[in-house]
Amino acid sequence: MDVRSRDLVRPALVAGGLAVLLGSLGMLTPAFTDYELEAEPSIQALRDGDLAGFLGLAPAYGGSLVLRAPFAFLPDLWGGGDHALFRSMAVPCLLAAVVLAVWLWRRARLLGHSALTCWIALALVAANPLTLRALEIGHPEELLGGVLCVAAALAAGRDRPVLAGALLGLAVANKPWAVLAVVPVLAIQRTGWPKLLAAAAAALAVVMTPLALAGGAIDEASAVAREAGAIFQPWQIWWFLGDTGHVVVGNFGEKPGYRVPPGWLTGIAHPILVLVPALASLALLPRVRRRPWHEGLLLLAFAFQLRCVLDPWNISYYSVPFLLALVAWEVHAERRPPVLALAATLLSWVTLVWLTTRAHPDVQALAYLGWSVPMTVFLGARLVGVGQPSVARAVAPRPAI
C-alpha cells in the first residue's frame, strides 16, 4: 500500500495533539518532583550562562540534559519562568515520541494493517499513560531514551549501521540503562558491526566528554550503578525477600507496609539488572540472527522487561521503553492490532499506578508479578521459538525508509 506525504498530515496532527495533551496534564508543576530536586539546579545554571555550573550540577543522567540543553533557552522567547522551563525541557522528548508514532503509523499502513492497528500503535507511542507518570515525576528523558533505542533498532533494520550506532550512542548518553539495547540492535544489524559500534562510541563521547571533565554526573552515575541504596519498591521480583517491621519513609512521609531490601542485595542489585538482560540477550543472539530482522525488536522488549522485573527501584515509568519496543515489534511481526502492548500498558497502569493508593504493598507486588513474570516468560519463549510462528514474519521486509 502506497502512503503519500499528505496522508501523514492527519496522524501527525493527532500524535502532536496527544503529546500536547500529555504534556499539559503531566507537567502541572515542577514542585516536589525529581526534576526540581535533581535536574533544575543544573538547568537553571545553564540558563543563567554558567556552563561550569550546568555540567558540575548535572545528575546521573546529565547526558540527557546535554542533549536537551538548547530547549533550556526556549522560555526566554516569551519571558517564561520555572514552570515554562520545566515544560520546555520535555518538548524534545515528546516530539521524539510523535515522530516515532507517525513512523510506525506509516509502517503499519505499508504492511497492510487495518486502520485500527495503525491508530492504536500511534496512540500507544504518542500518548502512553505510563509516559504521563514520567512527566509527573519529572523524568521525560525516559521517553526519549526509549524512542532512541527503538529508532536505533529500526535504523539497523534498514541496514544503516552508522545511523543506528549514532542513535544508540545518544540513547546510552541520555540514560545508561540504554546499554541493554546494544545486543538487540546488533542482532538486527547483520553486517557493519564495526561502523555501528564506532558511531555509537563517537556519539557517546561527544555528549559525555564535557560531563566527564566536570566529574559530577559521572561520579553520581557510577555510585548509582554500584549501589541500589535503600529504595525498594513492591514491583519487582525481590520484594518478598525484603525485611518487614521497619519504618520506611518516602518523600511524602511514612510508607506503611513497605519492606527494606535485604543487605546482600544492596550492593549487587544494579549490576544484576544489567548483567542478566545482557547475558540473556547474548545467549539469544545467534538464534535471533537466524530469524527475520524484526525479532530483534522482540529481543529489545524482552531486555527492557527484564530490567523492570529485576530492578528494586522499579517505578511506573520504567515500563515506557519496554512498551515502545513491544509496539514496534507487534507492528512488524503480527497481522493483528498490537494487543500485547495494549494489555501490558493497561496492566502496568493498574498495578504500578492505580493500586498504589488502594492496596497493601504486598498486594501490589503480587498483582505486578502476576502478569509481569508470565509476560517475561512468554517473550523469552517466543525468542527461543516456542509457540506458533507469526503469519506476518514472512511478509515484513526491512523498512525502505
Side-chain angles (χ1 to χ4, degrees), residues 1 107-118 294 329-339 382 389-397:
M1 179 184 295
R107 182 66 176 154
R109 284 285 301 274
L110 289 171
L111 290 173
H113 282 293
S114 67
L116 179 63
T117 296
C118 298
H294 51 69
W329 173 71
E330 287 193 273
V331 164
H332 289 87
E334 303 291 349
R335 282 293 190 186
R336 53 167 173 72
V339 293
R382 287 295 298 262
S390 169
V391 174
R393 288 179 185 175
V395 290

Side-chain angles (χ1 to χ4, degrees), residues 60 176-177 217-229 265-275 313:
W177 56 252
I218 302 298
D219 293 342
E220 186 175 345
S222 299
V224 169
R226 291 191 303 268
E227 298 289 338
L265 181 65
T266 302
I268 64 172
H270 282 165
I272 284 176
L273 72 89
V274 173
L275 287 174
W313 289 17

Side-chain angles (χ1 to χ4, degrees), residues 228-244 248 255 257-262 264-266 269 310-314 361:
I231 299 176
F232 199 60
Q233 305 283 15
W235 318 291
Q236 34 92 14
I237 64 170
W238 314 108
W239 176 255
F240 290 103
L241 300 178
D243 299 324
T244 59
V248 178
K255 302 169 77 172
Y258 264 63
R259 299 167 181 258
V260 298
W264 59 265
L265 181 65
T266 302
L310 291 168
D311 195 344
W313 289 17
N314 191 22

Side-chain angles (χ1 to χ4, degrees), residues 150-173:
V150 174
L154 294 172
R158 294 169 54 192
D159 196 23
R160 298 285 297 276
V162 174
L163 177 60
L167 291 168
L168 184 60
L170 293 177
V172 177

Side-chain angles (χ1 to χ4, degrees), residues 23-24 27 29 75 90 150 153 161 166 179 189 199 233 264 281 328 345 347 383 392 394 397:
S24 63
M27 310 195 78
T29 174
V150 174
V179 71
Q189 183 67 58
Q233 305 283 15
W264 59 265
S281 297
T345 297
L347 289 167
L383 285 166

